[in-house]
Amino acid sequence: MKILVLNAGSSSLKYKLFDLDSNLVLASGLVEKIGEERAHLIYEAQNKEAYEEEAPFKNHKEALEKIISLLLDKKLGVLKSVSELQGVGHRVVHGGESFKTPCKVNEEVLKGIENMIPLAPLHNPPNLEGLKVSMSLFSEVPQVAVFDTSFHQTMPKYAFRYALPEELYEKHGLRRYGFHGTSHHYVAKEASKYLKIPFEKLNAITFHLGNGGSMAAIKDGKSIDTSMGMTPLEGLVMGTRSGDIDPAIPFFLERELKMDLTTIDKLLNKKSGLKGICGKNDIRDISELSKIGDEKATLALKIYSYRIKKYLGAYLTLLPNLDTLIFTAGIGENSTLVREMILKDLNHLGIHLDQEKNKHVKRGTIQEIQADDKEQKLTKILVVPTDEEKEIASQTKAILN
Ligand code: ADP
């Protein structure tokens, strides 16, 4: 079964074509800077030469048309005809309370995604655009929307409600939704297979640490809490996002520093987090700077891992029968230092990292990094590579079947 997965951002379009029967990625790549003079396209396909192009793709439609022409190209392509595609799966960031599972897209679903725009003004419009463009170009192919929020729809009310007037929830949907659900779900399923624990019985804490970052507490295979909220700004310290702050800080910024709302929004989403503390947002750069004694970089790493540790402490109280901690995404999979800083001095809680195993994590496979444990008393600590696109492809397949 051949499934194309699309992830449309405001000026980007990521794509990955899967053959799920042979478990192969046939082609993948992205177009960046859509709408600008020099948009950049990258295309890679199984056993074919890689292809790059800089061209002014005016919009997502032009970008997708180019991707299709490459997929069908005699020399570089991997499809003979578009009819070989059995489905297109789309990443949609916000599904609100309406979309508790992925679903096949029709007019009603498009309307539902549009209704969610006030909650995700930056993400849902390009996701919707991607869907519409794909529906117009692949009119015969069924389209499926997979939501970042769905996996967390099992959170209980006391975890998802804010202590705000009820009307704001009832009428305007102000509540915590959580994001990265596709990734938390995928790595937890992978861990359950690896540990041979049925997914419905798995108790785990997942750490999705990439440019954006979130954690989830998973009880009996269901998300019962997660660190992101109504938007992806809440929770952990991220590359450029502040995560949790005193909600009164924006009042101060407006009152004393005369910032308007757009400026404050940009400050909290794009200029804060690791970047705000030390000027860099890539953990690789920050780790290097810290090694040579840069105090700001060291402080950034400390604040970053301290916040994660506090969430870990909170989630441990929710999961008395915890099976495993799961690290994933760019930082979670690759940063020995960050994992070590988070998990330091937790032996009293049955969390004991093996320094050597932590140092020698092999990329691309599931690894156990807890200390040797003959009595099986320690919590497993796993590094599990995430693959959101693959999860979207398999959810798409499940819906279409
Ligand atoms: P996104 O949230 O954009 O999908 P990723 O999950 O790819 O991001 O994570 C990107 C981040 O992962 C980078 O900003 C960097 O901090 C970190 N990262 C990537 N590779 C490494 C590495 N080898 N060592 C440490 N950190 C890494």
Side-chain angles (χ1 to χ4, degrees), residues 14 208-212 281-284 329-331 334-335 363:
K14 277 194 204 161
H208 176 106
L209 308 176
N211 278 319
N281 60 307
D282 191 308
I283 286 285
R284 286 165 289 198
I331 299 167
N334 296 304
S335 177
R363 284 194 186 183

Side-chain angles (χ1 to χ4, degrees), residues 220-258:
D220 298 330
K222 294 195 174 79
S223 171
I224 57 163
D225 204 352
T226 189
S227 58
M228 283 179 165
M230 186 179 96
T231 75
L233 186 55
E234 189 178 334
L236 308 182
V237 173
M238 301 172 226
T240 62
R241 295 185 202 133
S242 64
D244 299 336
I245 55 166
D246 184 331
I249 287 175
F251 311 145
F252 176 93
L253 297 174
E254 193 271 341
R255 195 179 60 237
E256 302 295 328
L257 305 183
K258 310 292 175 230

